[in-house]
Amino acid sequence: MGKTQKYKYYKIEGDKVVRLKKFCPKCGPGVFMAEHLNRYACGRCGYTEWKNSGKKEE
């Protein structure tokens, strides 16, 4: 397996560290979710959250 570059998942704003990716709600802190075009997915447990398309169907 390749090495994960976790330093790319954080950003420093002033004296605070900000996470750029979401944590998996099932696996807990430390397990990031992958961001796809229409969803967020956890590679560890398979949990998926769908993004809102922004369209309202009537």
Side-chain angles (χ1 to χ4, degrees), residues 8-44:
K8 292 184 179 180
Y9 297 170
Y10 299 95
K11 179 174 71 171
I12 297 175
E13 291 181 353
D15 9 343
K16 294 187 178 184
V17 177
V18 179
R19 291 189 309 256
L20 299 176
K21 298 194 179 271
K22 294 177 70 168
F23 282 148
C24 177
K26 284 187 170 182
C27 296
V31 180
F32 291 100
M33 295 181 73
E35 184 175 357
H36 299 279
L37 290 175
N38 59 348
R39 69 191 185 281
Y40 295 99
C42 177
R44 183 175 180 193

Side-chain angles (χ1 to χ4, degrees), residues 3 20 25 35 51 56:
K3 297 198 178 214
L20 299 176
E35 184 175 357
K51 293 181 181 179
K56 288 188 178 179

